[in-house]
Amino acid sequence: MKSNGEPERWVLAARLSRVTKRDLARGDALINGIHTQDQRGAEWARDQGHVIVHVTKDRNVSGAVPPWERPELGQWLTDPVKLVQYDGLVAYTVDRLSRDYSDVDWLRKWAERHRKKLYIIKDRLRWPDERDGVLWGIAAERAYEERRETIERTTRQLEALRNAGKLTGRPPFGYTTEGERYDRRLAPTDEGRKYVPLIYAHVIEGWSLEQVAEWLRTEGVKPPLSAGWWAATIGLLIKNPTYMGHRCAVTIVPPDDAEIQDGKIVRYRYQNRWVQKPRWIYGKTIHRCEPLVGAAVWKQANEALKNRTKRGHFDPDKRAMLSSVLYCAKCPDSPMYKTTPSKKLQATCRYLTVYYRCFGRGSQRQSCGNMIPLDVVDSAVDEIIAATFDVPVMRREIIYGNEAEIETRVEEIRFEIQQLGSLDLSDVDYDRELARLRAERDRIANLDRIPDQVELVPTGDTYYALWQRLSIPERGAWLATHGFRVAADKEHVTVSQETGSATVALEKKPSHARTRMLYLGKCQCGCGIDLYGVNANKKYVNGAHAAKAHRRRKSQAAGSG
């Protein structure tokens, strides 16, 4: 009791490092760890005449997380509004507060600073203590050793499971787990079978990662771990070899330097860049599963992701009509882009001519100077589509041979050859396995190939009809998708496709004859500059000279007055 006879107010710190799906589905009241801690705390408070004002239930929180960083308990240790609502902090055991003895020492200093009490129910430890705190140190050391033993035991079990080819860890998007405990394996979900091949296909087609993420958000696909669909999420998905049937171990790349605070690494340096998380790469295969994409598709998507050019943000609604499909006729492989006038020029000029301009090609690109008014080229292409490509659109139906299957199997064997270096094999076993894989690779590569055959089937639409239904920003991507190519210079615009080709000559604007400039005499401000022009009434070089003459006349008038 307090000195005024009121009961002391206590906060019970309950923590559970791991909550199984089965316990979580049954509800808080039946989660053994949290429930038993809550029960013991209530019994202790009743016996001592105290009041439990709140129970902080930190689920799935490791004992290595400092108390002040825990989602529930951290607020009650740092928030001034909550600090005044209780007199002490109680836990069933020391490890429910932390499994790090430095954190326990921090808690004792925190209690002295804020005039709070600490109590451990099982060991009957209290703070402030008449003793020197040795028992607190022993309890904290015991909790720390238990944590180290748990880590060692769990690491050993996981390593044994991985060596046996069993599944460990969470499944990625598109997969779930099935099988008995300690014999789990990955199995594709219906959502994964539908969307993962499409994600890879869109990346190969040239979609940006943000476009793929926006498409998944529009489709209502649930993201992994509720992290949301972002460009970085799609990038990690594309690089994950699990989708071609190989779940690989993650290997940390040793940093060039590291910054350590309180015995923990807080930053890593790779060359000249500091990052907060270490870099990692995929290592050896630890689990085989059913692939959602072939090895050839996986490789093609990763190459497309690696080789694509970086570009800044752009507004899709302001995209030029021939974006991504217009090329310079003088430099056949050089794209032409819309030139955007500066904001200052847009504000000062009422009429602006927007051009398509050749930008050159390669890292050392240089424009050839080819510039054509945007509206002229767009009108010419519109004319060509209407006159030449009002023809049926044909859909390709592919009769598949075995080329894709052979290529996929060859890529799988190449990946397995790359994995040999990460396996713990003797020299004899390594040479034997390498020879076997090479022989299998050569056998499959030398099989008779049956190429894919394409049959054209009419769709009932014409290119011109589809063209008319598209908005201006959508037309460039549509042209590229259907195999169109546009080339332009100052004299001609050519649109070509496998169904035909057409060229339109651009009208040349009449050149204006240069007007002869007349000598108009000297500037009347007295500066002595000669005046030339077509306006006989011109008296000054510019407005500044006219203002100068006006000030002189005004001064002379004031002096004469």
Side-chain angles (χ1 to χ4, degrees):
M1 291 290 183
K2 295 182 181 179
S3 58
N4 58 7
E6 295 181 357
E8 292 182 343
R9 302 163 301 168
W10 290 74
V11 169
L12 174 64
R15 180 184 63 81
L16 199 60
S17 58
R18 182 173 178 271
V19 180
T20 63
K21 293 181 180 179
R22 183 182 303 173
D23 288 338
L24 191 61
R26 290 186 295 185
D28 288 350
L30 295 177
I31 297 177
N32 297 332
I34 296 291
H35 179 61
T36 55
Q37 293 175 59
D38 191 0
Q39 209 171 35
R40 295 294 180 86
E43 293 173 356
W44 171 81
R46 183 178 63 251
D47 295 341
Q48 299 295 325
H50 302 322
V51 175
I52 301 294
V53 296
H54 185 74
V55 179
T56 61
K57 300 177 180 180
D58 286 304
R59 307 175 186 85
N60 283 326
V61 176
S62 169
V65 178
W68 59 90
E69 293 183 4
R70 281 160 52 173
E72 287 275 345
L73 180 59
Q75 304 176 34
W76 289 85
L77 298 180
T78 57
D79 189 350
V81 177
K82 295 183 182 295
L83 279 170
V84 299
Q85 299 180 25
Y86 65 99
D87 303 303
L89 183 67
V90 60
Y92 180 66
T93 57
V94 171
D95 58 25
R96 297 304 90 188
L97 293 174
S98 177
R99 287 189 179 273
D100 194 324
Y101 42 78
S102 62
D103 294 344
V104 176
D105 184 55
W106 181 92
L107 277 173
R108 289 189 293 174
K109 293 178 181 179
W110 167 86
E112 292 176 356
R113 185 168 61 253
H114 294 282
R115 297 181 181 180
K116 302 293 184 184
K117 297 180 179 181
L118 301 175
Y119 190 77
I120 304 300
I121 297 174
K122 183 178 180 180
D123 298 325
R124 298 181 181 180
L125 296 176
R126 64 177 68 250
W127 191 265
D129 192 355
E130 297 177 354
R131 296 162 290 188
D132 57 0
V134 173
L135 295 180
W136 278 90
I138 294 174
E141 183 69 26
R142 185 168 60 246
Y144 177 68
E145 289 299 325
E146 289 178 358
R147 175 190 163 210
R148 292 183 59 184
E149 292 176 1
T150 302
I151 293 174
E152 190 275 332
R153 183 173 61 254
T154 304
T155 303
R156 188 176 65 251
Q157 292 175 349
L158 291 176
E159 186 66 23
L161 289 173
R162 283 193 289 266
N163 291 337
K166 307 300 181 183
L167 175 65
T168 59
R170 293 190 179 98
F173 168 77
Y175 284 95
T176 186
T177 60
E178 61 181 20
E180 300 296 328
R181 188 179 184 184
Y182 303 126
D183 191 20
R184 308 291 292 174
R185 55 188 177 275
L186 287 175
T189 62
D190 294 338
E191 192 175 47
R193 295 182 188 276
K194 176 181 178 181
Y195 285 103
V196 169
L198 291 176
I199 292 172
Y200 276 81
H202 290 326
V203 171
I204 293 172
E205 290 170 3
W207 286 27
S208 69
L209 299 183
E210 183 56 43
Q211 282 179 305
V212 178
E214 178 61 29
W215 167 67
L216 290 172
R217 290 193 290 265
T218 304
E219 290 284 317
V221 181
K222 184 178 179 181
L225 300 179
S226 302
W229 287 114
W230 307 103
T233 312
I234 304 300
L236 292 175
L237 187 150
I238 295 297
K239 297 175 183 177
N240 193 342
T242 302
Y243 294 104
M244 64 170 176
H246 293 260
R247 184 177 177 90
C248 298
V250 173
T251 303
I252 301 298
V253 178
D256 299 324
D257 193 7
E259 181 180 337
I260 301 176
Q261 294 181 3
D262 299 330
K264 299 179 181 179
I265 301 179
V266 295
R267 289 200 308 167
Y268 304 82
R269 182 176 67 81
Y270 292 93
Q271 296 181 352
N272 297 326
R273 184 178 180 184
W274 287 92
V275 294
Q276 295 183 343
K277 294 183 179 180
R279 294 179 180 174
W280 51 270
I281 57 175
Y282 286 107
K284 64 180 181 180
T285 301
I286 57 177
H287 180 72
R288 295 294 186 95
C289 60
E290 180 184 341
L292 289 177
V293 296
V297 173
W298 185 88
K299 180 182 179 181
Q300 191 176 358
N302 277 268
E303 288 179 348
L305 190 64
K306 181 179 179 180
N307 298 328
R308 68 178 50 192
T309 57
K310 296 182 180 180
R311 58 177 301 173
H313 172 74
F314 70 95
D315 187 351
D317 294 332
K318 296 181 179 179
R319 184 196 299 265
M321 187 179 84
L322 301 179
S323 175
S324 73
V325 75
L326 178 62
Y327 293 86
C328 178
K330 297 181 179 179
C331 317
D333 294 329
S334 299
M336 299 185 71
Y337 299 124
K338 180 181 75 172
T339 59
T340 304
S342 65
K343 293 182 179 180
K344 181 179 180 181
L345 193 60
Q346 294 179 28
T348 56
C349 297
R350 184 175 181 182
Y351 300 103
L352 288 173
T353 301
V354 181
Y355 291 88
Y356 284 119
R357 177 176 180 269
C358 172
F359 270 70
R361 60 188 295 267
S363 58
Q364 304 295 328
R365 60 181 178 269
Q366 184 176 1
S367 173
C368 68
N370 185 20
M371 293 179 61
I372 315 163
L374 179 143
D375 56 344
V376 173
V377 181
D378 288 355
S379 299
V381 172
D382 201 5
E383 178 184 344
I384 292 173
I385 295 293
T388 307
F389 294 96
D390 193 9
V391 296
V393 178
M394 307 298 287
R395 182 182 72 251
R396 292 176 174 82
E397 289 190 354
I398 302 175
I399 302 175
Y400 293 99
N402 64 355
E403 284 188 334
E405 184 179 353
I406 291 175
E407 187 65 26
T408 298
R409 183 55 187 149
V410 168
E411 288 299 331
E412 289 177 352
I413 295 175
R414 286 175 180 169
F415 185 80
E416 292 179 2
I417 291 175
Q418 295 175 4
Q419 293 266 303
L420 284 180
S422 61
L423 302 178
D424 298 329
L425 299 177
S426 64
D427 292 344
V428 175
D429 292 339
Y430 178 87
D431 293 339
R432 182 187 302 114
E433 185 65 13
L434 180 60
R436 185 189 69 81
L437 289 174
R438 284 177 173 174
E440 180 68 9
R441 179 196 61 191
D442 296 340
R443 184 188 68 81
I444 294 176
N446 293 326
L447 292 175
D448 293 335
R449 294 177 178 252
I450 302 175
D452 297 341
Q453 297 181 1
V454 179
E455 291 185 356
L456 298 179
V457 178
T459 62
D461 268 321
T462 65
Y463 289 110
Y464 180 56
L466 294 176
W467 174 265
Q468 288 182 308
R469 294 201 291 264
L470 295 172
S471 64
I472 296 297
E474 295 174 335
R475 288 182 172 180
W478 179 85
L479 287 171
T481 302
H482 287 79
F484 285 88
R485 180 186 177 91
V486 183
D489 56 21
K490 296 182 182 299
E491 290 80 22
H492 302 88
V493 172
T494 302
V495 179
S496 57
Q497 199 234 17
E498 60 182 6
T499 58
S501 177
T503 300
V504 168
L506 301 181
E507 296 182 2
K508 293 185 178 181
K509 295 183 178 180
S511 58
H512 298 281
R514 181 173 294 180
T515 305
R516 183 178 179 183
M517 306 296 288
L518 302 177
Y519 176 68
L520 304 177
K522 300 289 185 180
C523 178
Q524 296 186 13
C525 74
C527 63
I529 298 177
D530 293 330
L531 295 179
Y532 291 90
V534 295
N535 186 1
N537 295 324
K538 185 177 181 180
K539 298 179 180 180
Y540 304 99
V541 174
N542 52 33
H545 289 254
K548 178 182 176 181
H550 175 72
R551 288 194 300 269
R552 187 175 67 249
R553 290 195 301 271
K554 188 175 180 182
S555 176
Q556 292 174 353
S560 62

